Amino acid sequence: MILARMLGMSLRRTGIALASLVLLASGVTAASPPAQAAATVPAFDHIVLVMFENKAASQITASSASYFASLAAQGATFTQSYAITHPSQPNYIALFSGSTQGVTNDDCPKTFTTGNLGAQLIAAGRTFKGYSEAMPSDGYTGCSSGTYRRKHNSWVDFSTVPAAGNVRYSTFPADYSQLPTVSFVSPDMCNDMHDCSIATGNTWLKNNLDGYAQWAKTHNSLLIVTFDEDNYLALNRIHTTFVGANVKVGSYSTKINHYTVLRTIEAAYGLPALGGAAGVSPITDVWQ
């Protein structure tokens, strides 16, 4: 009886040893747990979101937009990212405030007193600035000037965002540590691809924000590249990429929209969800 028990123990040890050898040979150890998605959104020191215009996700390819493709390869790209509606203006407003605020056109000006991301950040002791290319002066409230259009500048529509938060893109700091907590960037009507080619926007993004994208990776910061809407198709699927610190590189098929992006930014700073953002979950599966 004793001999049988000893033989059984010896066989079990042999089996364990053999299993361990198999695992080691395959490069896996029994102590290695599977990779887990982060439960929450990292509290980034800085987030910069740049919005381009009127292109479907299928148009932003390696052949037409090589730098967009390069950024996608460095970050998390969402293959099922959608705008809220058409035309442009209500999408900008939705991403900033969690609602289109009843806007269905590009008419200007619009003025609201409702909640918005900029006011939320300021109330929480954080900072916000919107940077608009070609805007003639900081704090400008006019509807257009040259290649600048207010319809692509949602923060100026909200009286609770101080005029100091509405600035020219030329003031975007070269020292990225001087950026506010969250920045929204609107290229002008040519560089955002509204009036000019995809190649033009591709070059602008590389020349203007690659430095920040690379810096963000090692400075607890994030770049979000997205579009307001597609080229006026019913599907309204757009290109969206996150690049920066704590991002797991890959392609993600989870369905997201502008409200999801807003909810994710709010979650990073413990802010309550605004409007439509309350009906979606923040993005948590792309963080290390």
Side-chain angles (χ1 to χ4, degrees), residues 162-248:
N166 176 35
V167 298
R168 294 163 294 150
Y169 178 69
S170 59
T171 68
F172 193 87
D175 178 358
Y176 303 129
S177 68
Q178 299 304 305
L179 282 163
T181 310
V182 176
S183 306
F184 276 28
V185 174
S186 283
D188 70 19
M189 288 286 284
C190 178
N191 291 322
D192 67 7
M193 306 185 194
H194 186 284
D195 291 348
C196 298
S197 67
I198 291 174
T200 298
N202 184 72
T203 299
W204 186 94
L205 180 61
K206 180 178 181 179
N207 291 345
N208 286 270
L209 288 174
D210 182 66
Y212 172 77
Q214 304 313 318
W215 179 89
K217 295 175 185 178
T218 56
H219 290 83
N220 191 39
S221 296
L222 180 69
L223 173 66
I224 299 174
V225 179
T226 191
F227 282 72
D228 67 330
E229 58 178 331
D230 71 4
N231 53 341
Y232 234 91
L233 302 175
L235 188 60
N236 219 352
R237 187 166 70 87
I238 56 174
H239 175 92
T240 300
T241 295
F242 289 6
V243 177
N246 303 308
V247 176
K248 290 192 296 185

Side-chain angles (χ1 to χ4, degrees), residues 3-233:
L3 181 61
R5 283 200 297 269
M6 291 176 65
L7 182 59
M9 291 173 65
S10 177
L11 287 171
R12 284 195 296 272
R13 290 193 190 101
T14 302
I16 291 168
L18 287 171
S20 296
L21 285 172
V22 171
L23 287 169
L24 287 169
S26 64
V28 178
T29 65
S32 299
Q36 298 293 322
T40 58
V41 181
F44 292 104
D45 291 342
H46 307 280
I47 295 176
V48 173
L49 182 149
V50 57
M51 186 98 90
F52 289 88
E53 279 277 312
N54 297 20
K55 297 294 180 286
S58 59
Q59 294 177 276
I60 307 303
T61 64
S63 59
S64 67
S66 58
Y67 181 69
F68 277 82
S70 171
L71 273 185
Q74 299 172 51
T77 298
F78 300 91
T79 60
Q80 298 296 318
S81 177
Y82 296 87
I84 302 300
T85 187
H86 296 294
S88 291
Q89 184 164 236
N91 288 297
Y92 284 84
I93 295 169
L95 200 158
F96 192 64
S97 70
S99 169
T100 63
Q101 307 299 334
V103 174
T104 59
N105 54 47
D106 285 336
D107 293 353
C108 178
K110 304 293 186 186
T111 304
F112 311 106
T113 58
T114 49
N116 60 82
L117 178 61
Q120 280 187 306
L121 288 161
I122 293 167
R126 307 281 185 169
T127 51
F128 168 82
K129 281 187 179 179
Y131 295 87
S132 294
E133 189 178 33
M135 191 168 71
S137 59
D138 293 346
Y140 181 72
T141 59
C143 289
S144 64
S145 176
T147 54
Y148 165 80
R149 296 292 184 274
R150 175 169 163 163
K151 65 180 180 177
H152 299 160
N153 174 349
S154 53
W155 46 94
V156 74
D157 294 336
F158 293 84
S159 59
T160 49
V161 178
N166 176 35
V167 298
R168 294 163 294 150
Y169 178 69
S170 59
T171 68
F172 193 87
D175 178 358
Y176 303 129
S177 68
Q178 299 304 305
L179 282 163
T181 310
V182 176
S183 306
F184 276 28
V185 174
S186 283
D188 70 19
M189 288 286 284
C190 178
N191 291 322
D192 67 7
M193 306 185 194
H194 186 284
D195 291 348
C196 298
S197 67
I198 291 174
T200 298
N202 184 72
T203 299
W204 186 94
L205 180 61
K206 180 178 181 179
N207 291 345
N208 286 270
L209 288 174
D210 182 66
Y212 172 77
Q214 304 313 318
W215 179 89
K217 295 175 185 178
T218 56
H219 290 83
N220 191 39
S221 296
L222 180 69
L223 173 66
I224 299 174
V225 179
T226 191
F227 282 72
D228 67 330
E229 58 178 331
D230 71 4
N231 53 341
Y232 234 91
L233 302 175

